[in-house]
Amino acid sequence: MLAFFLACLHPVPVEGPPPPRTPPALAPAVPAQDWERQAVPSEGPVARIGGDPIILGAVDKSEIDAVVLKHMNAIRYCYTLELEENPTLSGKLVIKFVIAQDGSVSSASTKATTMNNPAVEDCVSGRFKTFMFPEPKGGGIAIVSFPLAFFPS
């Protein structure tokens, strides 16, 4: 213990610049801009919320984010399958979906994409159709355009 204390008082000089700091394995837990809003695994492909969703209806954005984050591994799986075939596959995908009165997703489809990979797009849309969201306030439906970003680690 004394040796550790003494080493702290008289550190050994190191030649050259300090090593670069590595970012933490997880993205910030609070919403941030574009590609930074989702906890990611420390290894493997990355799927993140790619920006703020556009919501037409009475469902809170934080509730929608929470449901999507809960199912992010299922979304990431769609991407991982295609990444094995195309290791450089990356891009942004916007899924448009309708939340029915009971909170189920009555339809989901690709609104916009830079991936141009129908297998990933169809798989992610299919996953969204299985999600259950809070019921829209006051009845009715909610239409959401939800951006996602995908890139290899």
Side-chain angles (χ1 to χ4, degrees):
M1 177 102 167
L2 181 60
F4 175 74
F5 178 74
L6 291 175
C8 290
L9 290 177
H10 301 288
V12 178
V14 177
E15 294 181 20
R21 295 185 64 185
T22 56
L26 296 178
V30 296
Q33 291 298 322
D34 282 345
W35 305 75
E36 302 174 357
R37 275 197 13 221
Q38 202 265 306
V40 296
S42 58
E43 296 179 12
V46 178
R48 291 186 177 167
I49 296 173
D52 288 328
I54 298 171
I55 305 165
L56 302 173
V59 178
D60 188 70
K61 180 179 120 7
S62 64
E63 294 174 322
I64 293 172
D65 282 349
V67 172
V68 174
L69 288 175
K70 177 181 168 185
H71 296 285
M72 192 55 75
N73 284 336
I75 294 168
R76 187 178 296 114
Y77 178 76
C78 294
Y79 174 61
T80 303
L81 286 178
E82 285 301 305
L83 195 59
E84 292 174 8
E85 298 293 320
N86 180 358
T88 61
L89 180 65
S90 65
K92 195 168 181 179
L93 174 63
V94 179
I95 299 293
K96 180 180 177 180
F97 61 97
V98 177
I99 302 173
Q101 288 180 335
D102 64 356
S104 65
V105 176
S106 60
S107 69
S109 61
T110 299
K111 179 178 179 181
T113 182
T114 61
M115 293 183 75
N116 299 314
N117 185 300
V120 174
E121 297 158 16
D122 293 344
C123 182
V124 172
S125 294
R127 299 290 184 193
F128 268 81
K129 290 176 186 174
T130 67
F131 298 173
M132 188 64 130
F133 291 89
E135 297 175 3
K137 295 172 183 72
I141 63 170
I143 301 170
V144 182
S145 294
F146 201 95
L148 297 161
F150 299 89
F151 50 94
S153 60

